[in-house]
Amino acid sequence: MMRVVLLGPPGAGKGTQGELLARRLGVGRYVSGDLLREAVREGSAAGRQAQGWIERGELVPDAIVTGIVTGALSRDAGPGFVLDGFPRTIAQAEALAEFLGSRRARIDAVVYLEVPESEVVKRLVSRRVCPSCGAAYNLHTNPPRKDEVCDRCGARLASRSDDDEGTVRRRLRVYEGETAPLVEWYRAQGVRLLRVNGLGSVAEVRARVRSALGL
Ligand code: AMP
């Protein structure tokens, strides 16, 4: 059973590849952004605290996110999982290592999806998501069959409110400052770090991810 962290800037394809990888490994997938947006929708205490940061494209405080993600992991994670969007700071990575250590577990591999900034801005501003089933589309590279309608469930597609260009640029600055240093941190911890070129089609990147992991 494998425990994998997906790392990479917003728009690198973590959601798409995480879903494919989790299915391939037969493990659950934990997406911090989805868990946070769900908490906001439900209006829970954590969700109310998180909302402003999400809308501004800043990081939600470590304690809130860590609580939500480790809570979800302890409720239903099996021996393997794919983490997408978490950890995003060194403090979160330390909290995760401690949480796993208390269960005699550790991260087996970090898959680092590398995509240049100019490309991720393009991808995010043309991203559409299904508010009902969570499917993701791109108007240029992966459009729905019917304009603005989800292929899977027929709901009307939407843009994420934090996918406007200004907020995307802020999220990228935050990524560079807070999250990119995790690559070095995991390397120093001796965790298997797999750099994968995130450019190209979904199938091409999926093949690279699988071969990097030896699947
Ligand atoms: P994402 O869906 O991964 O792009 O995340 C959307 C937003 O949720 C981010 O811009 C942050 O405001 C918040 N968020 C998601 N994951 C984390 C995390 N691990 N730490 C802090 N904030 C997060």
Side-chain angles (χ1 to χ4, degrees), residues 10 14 31-34 36-37 53-55 57-62 65 84-89 92 127 160 162 171:
K14 299 188 297 296
V31 183
S32 55
D34 288 351
L36 286 166
R37 283 183 290 273
W53 275 285
I54 297 174
E55 279 167 6
E58 291 165 13
L59 291 186
V60 173
D62 290 330
V65 188
D84 161 357
F86 180 92
R88 240 177 171 101
T89 64
Q92 291 176 19
R127 168 159 75 180
R160 266 173 52 175
D162 58 349
R171 287 160 60 205

Side-chain angles (χ1 to χ4, degrees), residues 13-214:
K14 299 188 297 296
T16 304
Q17 295 300 330
E19 189 175 345
L20 294 167
L21 178 61
R23 205 182 302 154
R24 169 67 185 237
L25 293 171
V27 301
R29 177 175 162 250
Y30 296 83
V31 183
S32 55
D34 288 351
L35 291 168
L36 286 166
R37 283 183 290 273
E38 198 178 296
V40 171
R41 267 199 309 279
E42 285 169 355
S44 69
R48 287 197 305 274
Q49 286 173 287
Q51 187 166 18
W53 275 285
I54 297 174
E55 279 167 6
R56 289 190 299 275
E58 291 165 13
L59 291 186
V60 173
D62 290 330
I64 299 175
V65 188
T66 302
I68 286 185
V69 176
T70 57
L73 284 172
S74 29
R75 266 194 307 281
D76 61 15
F81 53 76
V82 171
L83 283 177
D84 161 357
F86 180 92
R88 240 177 171 101
T89 64
I90 288 174
Q92 291 176 19
E94 285 169 348
L96 174 65
E98 194 173 313
F99 170 82
L100 293 175
S102 72
R103 294 160 189 244
R104 304 191 164 283
R106 55 170 297 180
I107 295 299
D108 299 301
V110 172
V111 173
Y112 176 33
L113 284 176
E114 292 185 288
V115 178
E117 171 158 347
S118 55
E119 170 73 12
V120 302
V121 174
K122 256 195 296 186
R123 286 186 186 182
L124 291 176
V125 298
S126 54
R127 168 159 75 180
R128 295 291 180 275
V129 290
C130 175
S132 173
C133 75
Y137 300 88
N138 181 286
L139 294 185
H140 304 302
T141 57
N142 177 30
R145 281 192 295 272
K146 199 170 152 213
D147 234 19
E148 301 292 337
V149 174
C150 181
D151 291 349
R152 276 195 212 165
C153 75
R156 177 148 294 273
L157 300 180
S159 287
R160 266 173 52 175
S161 61
D162 58 349
D163 276 348
D164 66 284
E165 187 165 345
T167 311
V168 163
R169 297 222 179 256
R170 171 142 356 111
R171 287 160 60 205
L172 285 168
R173 295 284 75 76
V174 169
Y175 172 79
E176 285 306 326
E178 307 280 325
T179 308
L182 278 178
V183 173
E184 210 27 70
W185 189 85
Y186 272 115
R187 197 206 313 280
Q189 300 286 310
V191 176
R192 195 147 69 106
L193 180 73
L194 307 164
R195 287 175 186 270
V196 172
N197 173 4
L199 285 175
S201 70
V202 169
E204 281 164 347
V205 179
R206 176 182 60 186
R208 289 182 204 132
V209 169
R210 286 185 181 177
S211 94
L213 285 165

